[in-house]
Amino acid sequence: MSEKVILTGDRPTGRLHIGHYVGSLRRRVELQNSGEYKNIFVMIADAQALTDNAHEPEKVRQNIVEVALDYLACGIDPEKTNILIQSQIPELTELTFYYMNLVTVARVQRNPTVKAEIQLRNFEVGIPVGFFTYPISQASDITAFKATTVPVGEDQEPMIEQTREIVRKFNSVYGETLVEPEIMLPEDESCLRLPGTDGGAKMSKSLGNCIYLASDSDEIKKKVMSMFTDPGHLKVEDPGKVEGNTVFQYLDAFSNDDFFAEYCPDYRNLDEMKDHYRRGGLGDVKVKKFLNNVLQETLKPIRERRHEFEKDIPYIYEVLKKGTEVSREVAASTLHEVKDAMKINYFDDRALIEEQAERYGNNPVGAANA
Ligand code: TRP
């Protein structure tokens, strides 16, 4: 088996939505089932969530189980994937403290994702130090498990780049110890970022423009039927725009030819449907009904599995505990190597003690208590 290791994760600040599904969850399940990875770690990044939710610990705490339920509902299998809770692995924090010495303040300030988040969170008035250092903590998450492969969305690219820099710096200063990870972006353009149902750039709970993995079928239908399309496409006969049209962006991410055969046999595939829409003569309602069918069929089994798992919450915590324990051993072993490399392993370092004892003219070490 290969030596490839995956690590990825999510902040538990809310239920996961279908943007997470096409952007990462669907792929994680495929990767998990591919058998190509020696080890897979999926992290619930509660400590990172607290860097910008310090005053809402209850929100973070409640959402851990929600995210875990969403994972299991999508097909993440605890027999094959370790699901872990970040805060319960103190080795990660310890690594962060050492990596901080290898990164400048200016370098973190240049990180485009950090910059955007500072604006979004109104942190311009005062940036919490913990928040500021989260890219370094994310480097610990990745390197602690010697991850070779980090499947994430494009917004995480600066974090992976930062991690790679830390790895190179660490290895050059202290000797070859850490593994430089590669980012794995979604294969499909359309899955890079699914817009909100209102056409807004991002799905966000506060804007009410999300479809959740746990959404029921009425809610899905309501969101689809009120979805943003092409504002210039007023009458059915009008030519319509497909680019920037949310309904088509969702179809790009979710539909396939089998769905056309089943629900919309007028077209063989999405290209034919798009052509008709561009020419004029295809109404929004028909396209939305098709999208609704596609989403209903895709999300129903996920929602049903979620309901099954919801019946046994203690089991979910067992899964998390087990995944965290297994993961902690791996992180502890990496931390041990890191401390060896950094020469902060004083009590294990017999040679150090002997050399200093000799310098001070002690009796041969061990002789004193003979
Ligand atoms: N920053 C990621 C997010 O906001 C979550 C995360 C934390 C993560 N640690 C990670 C992702 C390590 C990949 C690898 O979604």
Side-chain angles (χ1 to χ4, degrees):
M1 194 184 269
S2 84
E3 292 301 293
K4 288 195 290 180
V5 174
I6 285 182
L7 179 120
T8 186
D10 300 281
R11 296 181 189 181
T13 53
R15 290 182 166 200
L16 301 182
H17 52 62
I18 63 173
H20 294 114
Y21 181 70
V22 291
S24 61
L25 297 171
R26 185 165 67 181
R27 185 81 175 288
R28 285 182 201 171
V29 174
E30 280 168 23
L31 293 169
Q32 165 195 277
N33 296 336
S34 73
E36 279 181 34
Y37 293 86
K38 189 181 87 171
N39 240 328
I40 304 182
F41 300 91
V42 175
M43 169 182 289
I44 302 185
D46 61 334
Q48 187 177 111
L50 286 166
T51 66
D52 65 339
N53 289 277
H55 305 287
E56 290 186 275
E58 191 58 30
K59 172 171 111 181
V60 173
R61 186 166 103 115
Q62 292 296 335
N63 277 306
I64 288 174
V65 80
E66 300 298 336
V67 169
L69 284 166
D70 287 331
Y71 285 165
L72 297 174
C74 284
I76 291 183
D77 174 358
E79 295 292 316
K80 298 181 183 152
T81 295
N82 299 298
I83 308 177
L84 59 128
I85 304 182
Q86 185 186 29
S87 65
Q88 303 306 298
I89 305 187
E91 287 78 4
L92 298 174
T93 321
E94 214 175 319
L95 284 174
T96 305
F97 194 67
Y98 299 127
Y99 294 169
M100 282 188 197
N101 301 330
L102 305 176
V103 182
T104 65
V105 170
R107 175 62 183 88
V108 179
Q109 270 166 341
R110 274 203 313 275
N111 182 314
T113 304
V114 171
K115 269 191 189 166
E117 287 181 308
I118 287 172
Q119 278 200 346
L120 194 74
R121 312 256 186 297
N122 273 323
F123 279 163
E124 281 114 330
V125 281
I127 305 169
V129 174
F131 171 81
F132 192 71
T133 56
Y134 97 74
I136 305 171
S137 136
Q138 190 155 335
S140 305
D141 300 342
I142 296 167
T143 55
F145 302 99
K146 302 229 162 108
T148 55
T149 313
V150 187
V152 280
E154 57 175 351
D155 63 315
Q156 295 297 305
E157 221 162 350
M159 303 302 158
I160 313 307
E161 199 39 54
Q162 177 77 79
T163 303
R164 291 165 59 89
E165 282 175 36
I166 290 173
V167 168
R168 288 197 291 263
K169 188 82 191 249
F170 188 99
N171 288 346
S172 80
V173 175
Y174 302 113
E176 213 47 46
T177 311
L178 302 173
V179 174
E180 197 172 326
E182 307 263 357
I183 191 169
M184 181 187 252
L185 289 167
E187 265 164 352
D188 189 342
E189 270 298 295
S190 67
C191 300
L192 279 177
R193 175 159 292 172
L194 201 67
T197 54
D198 58 356
K202 228 183 151 168
M203 289 204 203
S204 114
K205 189 174 172 185
S206 53
L207 295 172
N209 62 357
C210 306
I211 297 174
Y212 293 97
L213 291 172
S215 292
D216 64 29
S217 77
D218 288 348
E219 201 176 319
I220 296 168
K221 186 163 183 197
K222 212 173 87 197
K223 288 267 165 60
V224 171
M225 295 319 280
S226 62
M227 208 174 250
F228 180 83
T229 60
D230 168 12
H233 185 243
L234 295 174
K235 290 191 235 103
V236 172
E237 339 45 291
D238 292 341
K241 268 214 270 310
V242 164
E243 287 68 35
N245 184 324
T246 310
V247 180
F248 282 100
Q249 285 169 295
Y250 276 56
L251 284 175
D252 279 329
F254 283 95
S255 85
N256 59 43
D257 298 354
D258 294 340
F259 284 125
F260 277 96
E262 192 176 347
Y263 296 113
C264 203
D266 295 355
Y267 311 102
R268 269 174 306 180
N269 53 46
L270 188 55
D271 286 334
E272 287 187 10
M273 181 181 240
K274 284 180 175 174
D275 283 342
H276 192 186
Y277 193 82
R278 287 198 186 94
R279 279 199 309 277
L282 172 56
D284 283 348
V285 172
K286 182 162 173 176
V287 188
K288 284 179 172 176
K289 280 193 171 147
F290 175 59
L291 175 61
N292 179 53
N293 284 323
V294 169
L295 289 182
Q296 298 289 356
E297 186 168 324
T298 307
L299 299 177
K300 186 166 178 245
I302 297 175
R303 187 173 57 240
E304 285 176 354
R305 263 200 307 271
R306 199 183 199 279
H307 288 323
E308 282 307 306
F309 285 115
E310 286 166 3
K311 290 180 187 156
D312 193 357
I313 296 300
Y315 166 77
I316 310 295
Y317 277 95
E318 275 310 306
V319 164
L320 293 174
K321 187 163 178 235
K322 177 94 188 304
T324 303
E325 279 166 6
V326 170
S327 306
R328 186 171 178 189
E329 279 175 31
V330 179
S333 138
T334 304
L335 178 64
H336 198 86
E337 290 173 42
V338 160
K339 290 171 92 169
D340 273 350
M342 292 179 70
K343 303 196 177 297
I344 49 175
N345 52 354
Y346 315 111
F347 303 137
D348 299 338
D349 194 348
R350 201 81 203 145
L352 170 74
I353 302 169
E354 279 168 14
E355 179 236 311
Q356 291 181 341
E358 197 179 295
R359 178 145 46 86
Y360 279 99
N362 292 183
N363 297 325
V365 175
N369 30 344

